[in-house]
């Protein structure tokens, strides 16, 4: 059974998609063993609680400096003994020590077709604002392994989503979540849990 740790920063819609697919058997041979948030009081922690999964908050505001926070984050990760770490809207720069320790065991979902609209500064609505400003006709989402760069690790899965006339950044964000993110992330976890990649 693959032990999955999910890291979140906000509402946790991708987390919910994972929890639902574990519950209905779409994700085989995997269990979510812990949810970590860097923000206290976010709805993602409530989603974890509702699913009977331990949720913990490790907030940078509680530590004297970034090094202390990074150590606390790594301790919280280690305590879960994860086989796979899933970054599901986790707006924290992953410490190099954690990337090295869990090399090949950290995946991320990014709301664009990498290599477009990715890297430093491209997160949340900023990705969709940039895509619309550029006038692209297709956007989408990418699941990739995490390495030392920002959105530079090997790509696992991608799914294209149509950009429609009159889309606002929020419209595009919602469509990409529904049509791509909530499909791809559970699929990637299932593939990893069953040695299909």
């Amino acid at each position: 059974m693959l032990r999955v740790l999910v890291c979140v920063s906000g509402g946790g819609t991708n987390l919910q998609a994972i929890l639902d697919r574990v519950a209905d058997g779409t994700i085989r041979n995997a269990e979510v063993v812990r949810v970590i948030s860097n923000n206290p009081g976010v709805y993602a922690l409530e989603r974890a609680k509702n699913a009977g999964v331990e949720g913990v908050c490790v907030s940078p505001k509680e530590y004297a400096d970034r090094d202390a926070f990074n150590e606390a984050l790594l301790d919280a990760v280690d305590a879960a003994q994860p086989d796979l770490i899933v970054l599901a809207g986790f707006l924290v720069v992953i410490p190099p020590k954690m990337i090295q320790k869990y090399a090949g065991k950290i995946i991320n979902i990014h709301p664009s077709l990498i290599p477009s609209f990715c890297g430093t500064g491209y997160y949340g609505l900023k990705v969709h604002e940039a895509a619309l400003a550029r006038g692209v006709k297709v956007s989408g989402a990418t699941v990739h392994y995490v390495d030392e760069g920002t959105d530079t690790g090997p790509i696992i899965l991608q799914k294209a989503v149509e950009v429609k006339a009159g889309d606002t950044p929020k419209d595009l964000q919602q469509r990409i979540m529904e049509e791509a993110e909530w499909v791809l992330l559970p699929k990637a976890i299932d593939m990893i849990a069953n040695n299909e990649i």
Side-chain angles (χ1 to χ4, degrees), residues 5-23:
L5 168 72
V6 183
C7 297
V8 294
S9 289
T13 56
N14 276 305
L15 168 64
Q16 191 65 56
I18 294 164
L19 294 169
D20 290 349
R21 298 296 75 81
V22 168

Side-chain angles (χ1 to χ4, degrees), residues 141-144 154-159 183-185 187-189 191 197:
T142 304
V143 178
H144 65 93
I155 291 171
I156 302 168
L157 294 169
Q158 289 186 304
K159 188 171 191 305
V183 176
L184 290 182
L185 200 49
K187 184 176 180 183
I189 295 167
M191 289 170 70
I197 52 172

Side-chain angles (χ1 to χ4, degrees), residues 60-81:
K61 294 175 181 145
E62 296 172 13
Y63 298 92
D65 58 32
R66 201 66 188 192
D67 287 342
F69 165 72
N70 287 346
E71 282 299 320
L73 177 62
L74 188 54
D75 288 346
V77 169
D78 289 344
Q81 298 179 307

Side-chain angles (χ1 to χ4, degrees), residues 47-192:
R47 291 180 195 274
K49 183 179 168 190
N50 293 342
V53 175
E54 179 191 29
V56 296
C57 178
V58 182
S59 171
K61 294 175 181 145
E62 296 172 13
Y63 298 92
D65 58 32
R66 201 66 188 192
D67 287 342
F69 165 72
N70 287 346
E71 282 299 320
L73 177 62
L74 188 54
D75 288 346
V77 169
D78 289 344
Q81 298 179 307
D83 300 311
L84 180 68
I85 300 165
V86 178
L87 308 182
F90 192 51
L91 304 181
V92 169
V93 175
I94 304 302
K97 189 172 171 184
M98 183 169 148
I99 292 170
Q100 288 152 13
K101 182 168 187 175
Y102 291 97
K105 295 183 177 183
I106 308 174
I107 65 171
N108 180 51
I109 182 88
H110 183 76
S112 77
L113 295 173
I114 291 175
S116 298
F117 312 112
C118 67
T120 304
Y122 285 102
Y123 60 90
L125 276 178
K126 293 178 188 233
V127 175
H128 308 296
E129 288 165 356
L132 291 173
R134 185 68 182 92
V136 298
K137 304 302 178 206
V138 176
S139 190
T142 304
V143 178
H144 65 93
Y145 285 106
V146 173
D147 62 11
E148 282 80 2
T150 305
D151 302 324
T152 56
I155 291 171
I156 302 168
L157 294 169
Q158 289 186 304
K159 188 171 191 305
V161 174
E162 181 187 1
V163 177
K164 297 184 177 175
D167 269 350
T168 66
K170 279 196 175 294
D171 295 335
L172 185 56
Q173 179 183 52
Q174 187 66 32
R175 189 176 315 110
I176 288 173
M177 284 193 297
E178 290 173 4
E179 294 181 16
E181 293 183 43
W182 300 344
V183 176
L184 290 182
L185 200 49
K187 184 176 180 183
I189 295 167
D190 179 66
M191 289 170 70
I192 291 166

